[in-house]
Amino acid sequence: MTDDDFVGRDAETRAVLDNVNLKRSTMIIGGAGIGKSALLRELAPSLEAMGTYLPTTRVGPGFTGFLRELFEGLWHQTALPGAAVPAAGGRPRQGGLWHPQTLAGVPGADADEDLRDALRAWGRRYPSNDLKARWLIDRLEGIRIGGGNAIVVIDDAQGVTPGNRPWLERLTEVATVVAAVDPVALAKAGSKRFWKRFAEVRLEALGAGDARSLLERLIARYRVTADEPETYRRRVLELAQGNPFELERLVKHHSAEALVRSRELGHLGQGFVERDVKQLALAPLLTVGGALAIAGRYVARAQGDLDMYVLSGIGIAAFVMVRPLFRGAMRPRSRT
C-alpha cells in the first residue's frame, strides 16, 4: 500500500507527535494489516523535523541487523562524533569513522562505499553486539545531553527477547522510541515491565467514511470496473471490516464479478478468510515436513536403511506435489 493511500488516523497521528515532542516513547498497537507501518511512513516527515530521525526495520530476529540500522541512521544524520577526515578519494585515515559532512569537496567520494567502509571499521573495533550497543547508546546519550532528541522508529518490535531487552530498555532512556507492535507481543513472558515504559496509541479498524475513501482510491489505482458498482463497494467494505490490508487484498486479488454475483455474502467472506488463514497456518508445517523428508533420505542412505529411504522419497514427492497449492501463502506478503 502506497503513502497516497493513507487516510484518517488524525487522532493517532497527533498523539504520537505529542508524545515525541515530550520525549516520551510510544508503542503503536494493532493487529496485522491494520496500518501500523502506513502510519509510521505518514509520520516520517514530521519526525524528521523534530530531531535526529533513526528509522529501523525490526528488532529481530538477529539483534545485529537492528544495531547496524541504527549505525547507518546516525551516519546519514551526520551524528557520529569524532569522525576522521578522509584522505584523498574519500578513504578513511587509520580506519576512522566519519559522516557525510567530512566528504564535502572531496573528489570522487562515494557515500555508499564510504558507509560500507565505516561499517567494517566499526565492526572490527566493536566485534560483539554488546560492544556495538554500548557504543550506540553513548552516542544517543550525547545527543540528548546536547539538548537534541534522537527518535528511533521500529517498524516491527516483535523481536524483543530477554537477550536484547536490557539494551532496548537503555535505549528508551537515551532516545525517544516509536515502536509498532502486535498485541500478541505484549503478552510475552517477562515483557510487561519493558512495555510499561511506553505510552500507548492503539489502531482500530477504519471508520466507515475513511474505509470508503480508501476503497475509492484503491478502485481508481487498480482500475476496477463493476456492473453493479454500489453493490461491489458495499460488499468489499463489509468483508474488509475496516482493515486496510484486507481492503487492498479484496480489490486487487478478487474480481468484482465474483463479489457481486455471490448471493451468500457471509459465506463468501468466510471462505476468503478461512482459506488464507489455513494456508498461512499450514505453509510452515509443509516446509518443515519437506525439510525433514530430505534430511531423512540422507540419513537413510548413510545408514543403509532402505525402508526409511523409500519413505523419505515418498515424503519428498508429496511435498513437491502439494507445495504449489500453498505458493501464495508461502510467498512473503507486505502487511502495513
Side-chain angles (χ1 to χ4, degrees), residues 6 20 27 40 46 158 193 212 315:
F6 187 85
V20 171
M27 55 178 169
L40 290 177
S46 297
Q158 306 294 90
R193 187 178 68 176
R212 180 80 179 212

Side-chain angles (χ1 to χ4, degrees), residues 168-182:
L168 294 171
E169 290 177 353
R170 186 77 180 100
L171 182 64
T172 63
E173 296 169 359
V174 300
T176 303
V177 180
V178 180
V181 60
D182 191 283

Side-chain angles (χ1 to χ4, degrees), residues 10-185:
D10 293 337
E12 294 88 345
T13 298
R14 288 195 300 271
V16 174
L17 293 178
D18 287 345
N19 287 336
V20 171
N21 189 51
L22 296 172
K23 297 185 178 181
R24 181 187 300 157
S25 292
T26 304
M27 55 178 169
I28 300 173
I29 306 171
I34 204 66
K36 300 186 294 297
S37 295
L39 177 58
L40 290 177
R41 289 194 298 271
E42 184 72 10
L43 287 167
S46 297
L47 296 178
E48 287 186 74
M50 297 174 73
T52 302
Y53 175 66
L54 304 170
T56 65
T57 307
R58 59 180 61 87
V59 174
F63 197 44
T64 302
F66 174 71
L67 299 176
R68 178 190 175 100
E69 286 185 311
L70 279 181
F71 179 92
E72 292 178 355
L74 284 169
W75 193 90
H76 287 297
Q77 289 281 350
T78 71
L80 293 177
V85 178
R91 314 314 306 162
R93 291 178 179 172
Q94 300 176 351
L97 304 175
W98 68 95
H99 53 74
Q101 286 181 341
T102 65
L103 300 178
V106 177
D110 185 320
D112 289 335
E113 186 176 348
D114 290 326
L115 174 57
R116 288 193 292 270
D117 287 343
L119 280 165
R120 283 193 290 268
W122 183 58
R124 287 193 299 268
R125 192 175 300 175
Y126 307 100
S128 71
N129 280 346
D130 285 345
L131 290 174
K132 288 183 174 69
R134 185 175 292 112
W135 186 89
L136 289 165
I137 292 296
D138 288 344
R139 297 307 176 280
L140 295 173
E141 187 173 30
I143 293 174
R144 175 157 289 197
I145 291 174
N149 189 8
I151 304 167
V152 177
V153 173
I154 306 173
D155 188 68
D156 182 357
Q158 306 294 90
V160 177
T161 65
N164 60 38
R165 193 179 298 136
W167 287 116
L168 294 171
E169 290 177 353
R170 186 77 180 100
L171 182 64
T172 63
E173 296 169 359
V174 300
T176 303
V177 180
V178 180
V181 60
D182 191 283
V184 176

Side-chain angles (χ1 to χ4, degrees), residues 166-222:
W167 287 116
L168 294 171
E169 290 177 353
R170 186 77 180 100
L171 182 64
T172 63
E173 296 169 359
V174 300
T176 303
V177 180
V178 180
V181 60
D182 191 283
V184 176
L186 303 179
K188 287 184 179 179
S191 65
K192 289 185 178 180
R193 187 178 68 176
F194 171 70
W195 292 114
K196 283 183 178 179
R197 295 170 173 263
F198 293 74
E200 293 185 9
V201 172
R202 292 187 176 270
L203 292 191
E204 306 294 345
L206 291 174
D210 289 334
R212 180 80 179 212
S213 177
L214 176 56
L215 175 59
E216 294 299 335
R217 298 186 189 190
L218 293 171
I219 288 174
R221 194 214 304 172
Y222 293 113

